Amino acid sequence: LSPRSLSDTRSKRSSKEDFRKGALFSIYFSVAYVYGGVYNKISKKRQEVFPMKDPNCGYCARGELLDAFGIVICELSVSTLILFKEQSHPGRCIVAYKDHVSEIVNLTDEERNAFMADVTRAAKAIHAAFHPDKVNYGAYGDTGCHLHVHLVPKYRDGFEWGGVFAMNPGQTKLTDAQYAEMIEKIKAAL
């Protein structure tokens, strides 16, 4: 075999292996969907077959993509705590799962419980640091398919009290010093 034909053979083999991995995942996912808890048993296989980061996702790639809307506060057990830059609701944060998964049902029971424990820990810190009357929780992501939860402190008779919070009101940006102060308050309460 010439070096070129050997390279072509490897390339074809790699494509077939990628196809097999994708087909294998599709079969596993179909079985999991039909039989419920089976998915939890194949979660580790899912992680072996598919990379768990998306270079086009702000939560995965960070850098400029994340900087556009948030500031990393710290890493939690299975997620990242992020201060939302738009602060019409003082203390608003996001808890983003560590891997690029779209739905909470894509997690094992253990992973889901750890994620919800991180959400709870962040909510307690927000309550301790900012004393809101209520924290609203939002888990959206029609276009940004990375599992995350918005934690939005609400204050009686304050902005959007008694209604649904806007995804990004675009009204209140802070100085770097104000963001740093807010982050320190949250870290101290964790």
Side-chain angles (χ1 to χ4, degrees):
L1 289 172
S2 71
R4 178 148 175 83
S5 62
L6 184 58
S7 173
D8 291 345
T9 303
R10 284 186 189 135
S11 177
K12 288 176 186 173
R13 187 179 308 136
S14 177
S15 295
K16 286 180 182 178
E17 288 170 8
D18 290 346
F19 176 78
R20 284 187 202 127
K21 286 179 182 177
L24 179 64
F25 179 75
S26 295
I27 292 166
Y28 280 146
F29 187 78
S30 298
V31 169
Y33 183 78
V34 173
Y35 294 104
V38 174
Y39 189 77
N40 291 339
K41 293 176 184 166
I42 64 160
S43 178
K44 293 202 183 322
K45 187 67 174 174
R46 163 184 54 88
Q47 291 171 4
E48 292 168 11
V49 174
F50 292 98
M52 299 308 293
K53 300 292 180 193
D54 178 346
N56 300 311
C57 169
Y59 299 113
C60 291
R62 306 227 176 149
E64 291 179 9
L65 293 172
L66 179 62
D67 293 345
F69 64 87
I71 303 167
V72 172
I73 296 172
C74 65
E75 298 299 323
L76 300 173
S77 69
V78 295
S79 58
T80 303
L81 181 58
I82 299 162
L83 182 69
F84 196 62
K85 283 187 175 177
E86 205 295 325
Q87 284 289 309
S88 293
H89 300 282
R92 181 174 177 174
C93 292
I94 300 166
V95 177
Y97 191 69
K98 66 179 179 175
D99 290 328
H100 191 80
V101 295
S102 179
E103 303 287 333
I104 202 160
V105 299
N106 298 136
L107 303 177
T108 65
D109 291 345
E110 182 180 317
E111 291 166 335
R112 183 201 61 240
N113 292 342
F115 179 65
M116 293 311 293
D118 283 354
V119 171
T120 302
R121 182 177 174 202
K124 286 179 179 181
I126 290 169
H127 273 286
F130 301 102
H131 311 288
D133 294 297
K134 177 78 175 94
V135 172
N136 287 182
Y137 303 85
Y140 307 111
D142 296 343
T143 57
C145 298
H146 185 118
L147 179 60
H148 66 284
V149 175
H150 290 259
L151 286 74
V152 183
K154 301 286 271 307
Y155 302 88
R156 193 173 310 283
D157 301 322
F159 181 64
E160 295 182 320
W161 179 259
V164 177
F165 65 87
M167 184 48 61
N168 188 351
Q171 295 183 10
T172 307
K173 297 282 184 165
L174 306 179
T175 65
D176 289 343
Q178 290 171 316
Y179 287 130
E181 181 182 334
M182 195 168 266
I183 287 169
E184 287 309 311
K185 285 177 82 169
I186 294 167
K187 281 183 175 180
L190 286 170

